[in-house]
Amino acid sequence: MSEAVEFFPYNNGFSSKVHYENSHLILDQNQEEEKQDSWFEEVIDDDLKWSFALNRVLHKGTSVYQDIALLDTKRFGKVLVIDGKMQSAEIDEYIYHECLIHPALLCHPNPKTVFIMGGGEGSTAREALRHKSVENVIMCDIDQEVVDFCRKHLTANHDAFRNKKLNLVINDAKAELEKREEKFDIIVGDLADPVEGGPCYQLYTKSFYENILKPKLNNNGIFVTQAGPGGLFTHKEVFSSIYNTIRQVFKYVRAYTAHVPSFADTWGWVIASDQPLSIDAAKMDIKIAERIEGELLYLNGATFVSSTILNKTVAKTLKNETHVYTEESARFIHGQGVACRN
């Protein structure tokens, strides 16, 4: 959410803050203290902020497409922030990425090819590459700067970036899918949340899903996407609309959620296919043991099945949702992308 970096005194004499406010990344500093406490504030909504203490700011800047910050936090380790929104935290990113990747690949009979839209930090590719059957993972991210500093700073993904099965492409995912002739077993949407003026919201539209993405799936192919906040008070922002939009395009669609501590909310994903999705806890556990290298930290069969059981309020909203994402009628989460400020 940042146009520029501003510095000004923090007058209470106790701490400093690093936060996004009114579309600016602000670093408040008390020059009189030798040792300071610094805090990052994410503006969740006009009347709600989420803050946590920092050790230091590792990187901050503005690329052509979005504002980027990599922060070293006391509670969550290294965190990636794009356009003022928490994208991933070192201590619990495995929850998000295991939920995003493994259900889709485990529902597929024999996944060999994976196309990732976004995913510049490398964690989504890392999880996909753990599947023994996977032969080729294409990670297509629009922002070279995000990829470069994640590859440098996020040590957990160094092996993934070096894996010979990974093909990294810097391009708009829509343009990349349009020009490719091959089809894929799995297509993954690991895009930033749709914000006004951001680079991603058109990749949540019905026309994109119907005319570009779906034709690039093999006959038994599966599409899965992150779908924004899925909490009791936040699921109407974009989650229900993304779910309903995908439901217009694919025959079998399931929404599921999990709590991610660093997001301070429950998160939502949507999985879809034109073939039935087999969701059975015992069978999924067998597949996890047979197909995946190493042990998963969060997901097992029972966890995934339970994640598809939504509370009454969220389930009712998703069932009754009528909004369909289009280029002319998009929903956005709180915040603004770079394009709105240029």
Side-chain angles (χ1 to χ4, degrees), residues 50-227:
W50 167 232
S51 62
F52 41 89
L54 299 180
N55 291 317
R56 60 191 177 120
V57 177
L58 297 173
H59 175 95
K60 58 181 181 292
T62 301
S63 73
V64 174
Y65 302 102
Q66 50 207 347
D67 293 307
I68 309 158
L70 188 64
L71 312 175
D72 181 13
T73 73
K74 295 182 183 295
R75 175 61 64 94
F76 298 117
K78 295 175 183 175
V79 305
L80 175 65
V81 178
I82 293 180
D83 284 335
K85 302 295 182 182
M86 166 83 82
Q87 301 297 309
S88 178
E90 187 176 30
I91 196 170
D92 64 2
E93 55 85 5
Y94 64 88
I95 301 173
Y96 171 93
H97 291 103
E98 287 186 12
C99 287
L100 174 64
I101 281 292
H102 298 303
L105 272 75
L106 292 169
C107 284
H108 193 282
N110 187 30
K112 293 183 178 181
T113 55
V114 180
F115 186 95
I116 299 170
M117 303 186 296
E121 69 183 276
S123 300
T124 299
R126 179 196 71 214
E127 293 301 316
L129 289 164
R130 296 176 66 182
H131 284 254
K132 299 172 186 177
S133 64
V134 168
E135 298 173 354
N136 184 30
V137 175
I138 296 172
M139 184 178 83
C140 181
D141 197 284
I142 198 171
D143 202 324
Q144 180 78 60
E145 186 172 346
V146 169
V147 173
D148 285 347
F149 83 71
C150 287
R151 181 159 43 186
K152 177 180 179 181
H153 292 288
L154 301 183
T155 56
N157 297 334
H158 282 175
D159 288 343
F161 277 112
R162 290 193 292 259
N163 195 302
K164 294 180 180 180
K165 296 180 181 179
L166 177 66
N167 292 286
L168 173 61
V169 178
I170 303 299
N171 196 6
D172 173 71
K174 178 182 177 182
E176 189 65 26
L177 281 174
E178 280 183 307
K179 78 176 186 180
R180 285 184 173 267
E181 296 182 0
E182 74 266 42
K183 294 186 177 184
F184 302 93
D185 295 323
I186 308 289
I187 296 180
V188 181
D190 188 20
L191 302 163
D193 298 322
V195 295
E196 189 176 5
C200 298
Y201 81 91
Q202 293 184 1
L203 302 185
Y204 290 96
T205 61
K206 181 185 177 185
S207 62
F208 171 68
Y209 293 146
E210 194 168 47
N211 301 324
I212 297 173
L213 185 148
K214 187 176 178 179
K216 295 301 181 181
L217 282 171
N218 287 321
N219 289 334
N220 58 353
I222 296 174
F223 169 55
V224 63
T225 184
Q226 81 87 14

